[in-house]
Amino acid sequence: MYVAVKGGERAIDNAHRLLAKKRRGDTAVAELGVEQIRQQLPLAVARVMSEGSLYDEQLAALAIKQAAGDLVEAIFLLRAYRTTLPRFCASLPIDTSRMLLSRRLSATFKDVPGGQLLGPTFDYTHRLLDFSLLAEGDYPGPDVHGHAQLEPCPHVLGLLAKEGLIKEETDLGEAADDITRTPLEYPASRAQRLQALARGDEGFLLALGYSSQRGYGRNHPFAGEIRIGEVDVWLEPEELGFPIAIGAIEITECEMVNQFVGSTAEPAQFTRGYGLAFGHAERKAMAMALVDRSLRAEEYGEEIQSPAQQQEFVLAHCDNVEAAGFVSHLKLPHYVDFQSELELIRKLRKPSTEQAQ
Amino acid sequence: MAAPLLHTLLQPAFPDPVLDAQRSFRAALKALAEPGVVQGLRPAHAPSPLAGLAEASHALCLALLDIDTPLWLAPAFDTQAIRANLAFHCGCPIVSARQNARFALLDSSQLHDLSGFDLGNDRYPDQSCTLLVQLPSLEGGRRLAWRGPGIQREHLVAVPLAEHFWQERESRNDFPRGLDVFFLAGHHLIGLPRSTQVAFHGGA
Amino acid sequence: MTATPVPPAAGPVRNPEYDRARQHWIGVLARAHRDDFDCHEAALRDTDYQLIRAPEIGMALVRGRMGGNGAPFNVGEMSVTRCVVRLADGRTGYSYLAGRDKARAELAALADAHLQGAQQARWMSELIEPLAQAQADRRARQEAETAATKVEFFTLVRGEH
């Protein structure tokens, strides 16, 4: 029998008010401002922007506040807001070689032109809780040499490419597929895969990248280069007829170098995996680069036998808004579905109980 | 591009870009939900006139077109002012091949031949081309009975159209594939979705 | 900036030098903060103008390149505000700015329009050049901070004297 389920409006209303109360916490403690979140939790903001697929620090900070710090919920909020905005145009591809760097590392060459720039990093910290942060204090910043300048920092893999030791990236001038306009179909192009990975869940990609390092999929990666910094975004509005800069965004770029033993057609050389994420998001960019390389298995004639190499497995499950939505829907009333299963189980058990008697 | 010249052609669009676009979209939605019923746009919420485009046509263009909706223009509408303003306000690509268009702006001289427009496919019938047909008036034609979804019994509608149009439409109506049409005149519009059946044979 | 370029006469002919100059000031205006306009707001608005495109918030799809220099792909969107004004004499000013600030978009569009007029030299020296200088200073400060974290390797010399 079908029983319509209606009601609960008052309960829902009050549940939302209770949530607001929980989010606010003890009112004797000052309320957290959105600008404070933006300034003081920039890495959380970066993750929400990347996976929310909208670069807007203030909105990401607002989403974090509204979600009471649940980043996957904040990502959902930002994705939802994003759908209300019209898309004016696409940018010209950002030129990461002209980044205003705040960090730049290569694990493949010690002496890269421009040097190793550590920037603001958790590396080399001892992961000991810093109890001084329990109190408010001054943070003097680094010891800066007044006029110190950075030397030019060309892309590290360009050096290998010059010698022909690594696969060249090529631009055949084809339009980039857009997974937000045309539904993904398999096999997906690399452009589609990278777009999906860029908005994919950091934890999921991290686990997959890790699995590829542990032997699930041929992969022997080196961090060829990691760059974090600001890059100008350029548009070319038709009505103007020339490109213009509209401001800068912070991004993290990672290029992984992987072995490739070559084939009958090609000499042994290195191959690449690429990661790019909004904001300061090093772990995300590295994981993305590992997974990008794993997903190129077919291109290099490698045997596909591990999850990180399987396009459909990776791309269909990397979006945490979709994943969380489908898992969450299990909380919705399934009273009728469950009744029918319950009845079925009872029916199946009946003969056996009768037999037992 | 003749960019400096473009500047002088550009003109404002909706008085209130967000709300007026929503009002116009609402009118379009109602027009398709109630085929044959005339929907009106309040002059205060209509865009400023653009040479050659009726207010309702202009409003629907502004409400429906964007960067993802290539537009095909009939020769009557293929003017510098219309091209410049639609490209500027909507960002829609203007295409010369009918089959690439998601929307088409037509006048009555085009209605004897609807070939080439995308009818959608069985998987995505919604990807068909929507026709915006500007007419001098929405009345004065032969009264025809419209039936189908959104119409309780039948509507008698007298949009001034030659029989050619109905034949063309019928020959391209292969449900769920087909063409949805808006007829536009002045501040008014009528919707004719592909699901509406129109008896146009015989009779006067 | 050196010579003040003149806008091309109406017509399809473009003047690349003028476009470059305009590209420069549009970029400087885009990087400016809201409060950078505070002391210029009255002067910028002190003219008859029409909003051809009222300040409008939307998105631009950000593209990257595979491997930094390969084929393009879509990274995600960014919020953008744009505006177009026309002054009484027909000059049209444009703005496209990262973020969601309608007031700033309108002021930047007005500045672009003023910069195309007879007062260009004054607007350059009073608005654009100080902003460009402040932006360059900020970049230099950031660079110096990053440079402070550059690794200086010490090479260990082995045993033999």
Side-chain angles (χ1 to χ4, degrees):
Chain A
M1 190 181 68
Y2 176 71
V3 184
V5 179
K6 197 172 161 18
E9 288 93 336
R10 204 180 57 87
I12 291 170
D13 248 8
N14 275 327
H16 290 164
R17 285 184 205 183
L18 195 55
L19 172 67
K21 185 168 181 240
K22 184 180 172 68
R23 176 169 59 215
R24 177 61 183 88
D26 183 351
T27 52
V29 178
E31 185 174 349
L32 193 54
V34 168
E35 193 56 26
Q36 287 175 304
I37 296 174
R38 177 183 179 169
Q39 294 293 332
Q40 297 175 36
L41 298 176
L43 276 67
V45 167
R47 178 165 179 203
V48 171
M49 294 194 302
S50 267
E51 296 173 33
S53 206
L54 179 65
Y55 194 100
D56 189 307
E57 292 172 349
Q58 189 191 40
L59 290 177
L62 172 63
I64 292 168
K65 177 174 178 176
Q66 187 179 333
D70 178 342
L71 296 191
V72 174
E73 179 70 19
I75 288 160
F76 192 174
L77 291 169
L78 198 61
R79 283 270 186 99
Y81 181 79
R82 182 184 165 283
T83 63
T84 68
L85 293 177
R87 179 189 284 172
F88 294 151
C89 52
S91 79
L92 301 176
I94 52 175
D95 184 354
T96 53
S97 68
R98 303 185 62 177
M99 209 186 275
L100 172 60
L101 290 166
S102 59
R103 174 165 166 81
R104 189 271 195 127
L105 280 188
S106 171
T108 50
F109 298 102
K110 178 168 71 73
D111 297 310
V112 281
Q116 311 271 359
L117 309 168
L118 301 184
T121 180
F122 294 112
D123 299 349
Y124 320 110
T125 62
H126 298 102
R127 267 71 183 208
L128 299 174
L129 278 176
D130 179 358
F131 288 95
S132 71
L133 290 174
L134 283 172
E136 288 176 22
D138 286 336
Y139 302 93
D143 223 345
V144 173
H145 208 282
H147 304 290
Q149 285 179 323
L150 297 179
E151 293 161 32
C153 295
H155 273 118
V156 173
L157 299 200
L159 307 172
L160 283 173
K162 265 188 201 154
E163 289 187 63
L165 296 175
I166 193 164
K167 286 264 186 188
E168 286 273 18
E169 294 284 359
T170 46
D171 179 9
L172 302 174
E174 284 171 29
D177 304 305
D178 182 0
I179 61 166
T180 66
R181 292 296 186 271
T182 317
L184 260 182
E185 286 187 30
Y186 303 99
S189 67
R190 189 167 174 223
Q192 289 171 313
R193 298 193 312 247
L194 285 170
Q195 186 179 10
L197 297 179
R199 53 184 6 224
D201 183 80
E202 179 178 319
F204 181 75
L205 298 185
L206 180 67
L208 281 174
Y210 179 45
S211 76
S212 75
Q213 284 180 280
R214 289 192 67 252
Y216 288 86
R218 294 157 39 120
N219 218 338
H220 192 259
F222 297 92
E225 187 171 16
I226 294 165
R227 299 160 78 95
I228 303 179
E230 282 180 23
V231 63
D232 278 338
V233 180
W234 290 74
L235 308 178
E236 189 162 6
E238 195 183 340
E239 63 266 20
L240 280 178
F242 56 86
I244 54 169
I246 61 166
I249 60 173
E250 188 184 28
I251 54 150
T252 303
E253 181 184 44
C254 173
E255 286 200 89
M256 288 286 176
V257 183
N258 302 71
Q259 276 177 357
F260 176 57
V261 290
S263 63
T264 48
E266 287 177 289
Q269 58 190 316
F270 291 110
T271 55
R272 304 164 179 244
Y274 188 64
L276 190 65
F278 286 150
H280 186 129
E282 191 166 276
R283 197 187 302 113
K284 166 67 186 271
M286 291 179 77
M288 176 175 167
L290 290 173
V291 177
D292 171 46
R293 174 59 186 86
S294 294
L295 291 176
R296 303 181 75 179
E298 195 176 348
E299 189 182 328
Y300 296 133
E302 296 164 351
E303 202 180 339
I304 296 175
Q305 47 192 355
S306 299
Q309 298 170 309
Q310 292 166 3
Q311 287 199 13
E312 193 163 348
F313 180 79
V314 175
L315 302 181
H317 300 119
C318 69
D319 190 297
N320 57 28
V321 176
E322 283 174 17
F326 202 51
V327 170
S328 286
H329 106 282
L330 295 174
K331 294 178 290 186
L332 292 171
H334 283 69
Y335 307 144
V336 180
D337 299 20
F338 187 70
Q339 276 305 318
S340 73
E341 301 233 340
L342 194 61
E343 243 157 70
L344 180 67
I345 294 280
R346 285 199 173 117
K347 257 185 215 159
L348 289 171
R349 287 170 63 106
K350 232 178 197 164
S352 57
T353 39
E354 275 168 7
Q355 269 169 15
Q357 283 170 353
Chain B
M1 275 303 310
L5 198 64
L6 267 180
H7 297 169
T8 57
L9 294 171
L10 296 180
Q11 58 178 66
F14 281 125
D16 183 333
V18 174
L19 291 180
D20 293 338
Q22 289 176 355
R23 288 183 183 106
S24 303
F25 187 83
R26 181 79 209 163
L29 201 64
K30 262 178 93 64
L32 285 184
E34 299 169 39
V37 177
V38 178
Q39 308 293 333
L41 297 173
R42 291 245 194 98
H45 302 311
S48 45
L50 180 56
L53 267 193
E55 288 85 346
S57 317
H58 193 189
L60 249 60
C61 285
L62 293 170
L64 298 176
L65 303 178
D66 67 15
I67 186 174
D68 294 316
T69 56
L71 172 71
W72 185 85
L73 291 172
F77 300 110
D78 195 358
T79 65
Q80 269 200 317
I82 290 178
R83 273 181 172 258
N85 279 283
L86 293 185
F88 175 74
H89 288 293
C90 308
C92 57
I94 293 174
V95 294
S96 53
R98 287 182 168 194
Q99 66 263 26
N100 297 331
R102 296 294 285 274
F103 287 89
L105 198 48
L106 310 174
D107 62 328
S108 55
S109 73
Q110 301 288 315
L111 300 182
H112 60 281
D113 176 16
L114 301 180
S115 62
F117 292 119
D118 190 347
L119 307 178
N121 55 63
D122 289 340
R123 219 170 143 193
Y124 298 106
D126 55 305
Q127 288 178 359
S128 65
C129 181
T130 300
L131 308 182
L132 308 177
V133 178
Q134 181 171 312
L135 299 171
S137 160
L138 298 180
E139 288 165 12
R142 188 154 71 95
R143 278 155 67 89
L144 299 173
W146 292 22
R147 293 195 180 88
I151 302 172
Q152 193 163 25
R153 290 174 55 82
E154 63 175 37
H155 283 315
L156 293 175
V157 187
V159 182
L161 297 164
E163 189 157 316
H164 279 312
F165 166 79
W166 297 109
Q167 285 162 357
E168 276 290 299
R169 174 179 183 265
E170 193 169 74
S171 72
R172 299 177 199 290
N173 213 339
D174 181 15
F175 200 82
R177 301 160 71 238
L179 297 167
D180 301 318
V181 187
F182 290 101
F183 297 109
L184 306 140
H187 287 91
H188 296 96
L189 60 146
I190 284 181
L192 173 64
R194 69 194 73 180
S195 56
T196 300
Q197 300 123 41
V198 180
F200 64 92
H201 297 287
Chain C
M1 294 302 294
T2 47
T4 44
V6 277
V13 186
R14 303 204 66 99
N15 175 348
E17 190 197 343
Y18 181 71
D19 285 352
R20 263 197 304 281
R22 195 163 164 219
Q23 189 180 51
H24 167 72
W25 76 58
I26 286 178
V28 171
L29 291 167
R31 290 180 199 100
H33 296 278
R34 174 69 182 87
D35 47 13
D36 290 333
F37 289 99
D38 284 351
C39 56
H40 301 280
E41 179 162 357
L44 286 168
R45 289 190 192 278
D46 184 21
T47 177
D48 279 339
Y49 67 97
Q50 184 188 16
L51 291 169
I52 299 291
R53 175 152 63 203
E56 181 184 18
I57 294 170
M59 303 184 293
L61 178 61
V62 180
R63 295 216 164 113
R65 285 191 184 282
M66 303 173 190
N69 62 354
F73 72 97
N74 304 313
V75 190
E77 319 261 356
M78 67 188 283
S79 57
V80 170
T81 309
R82 63 181 185 178
C83 177
V84 178
V85 299
R86 186 187 288 145
L87 307 192
D89 63 6
R91 273 178 286 142
T92 314
Y94 287 77
S95 68
Y96 271 89
L97 312 177
R100 293 166 300 110
D101 188 338
K102 291 183 174 183
R104 189 161 71 91
E106 189 168 331
L107 293 172
L110 278 167
D112 178 43
H114 285 299
L115 278 153
Q116 297 170 59
Q119 299 291 307
Q120 186 188 63
R122 186 172 70 81
W123 285 108
M124 283 303 290
S125 67
E126 287 178 14
L127 179 65
I128 299 300
E129 283 158 20
L131 279 178
Q133 188 57 50
Q135 289 165 11
D137 291 347
R138 188 187 139 257
R139 278 182 76 96
R141 270 198 309 280
Q142 262 176 275
E143 261 198 43
E145 282 190 350
T146 306
T149 67
K150 183 169 171 176
V151 180
E152 308 293 348
F153 288 103
F154 299 100
T155 310
L156 294 178
V157 182
R158 291 207 195 161
E160 313 144 25
H161 294 275

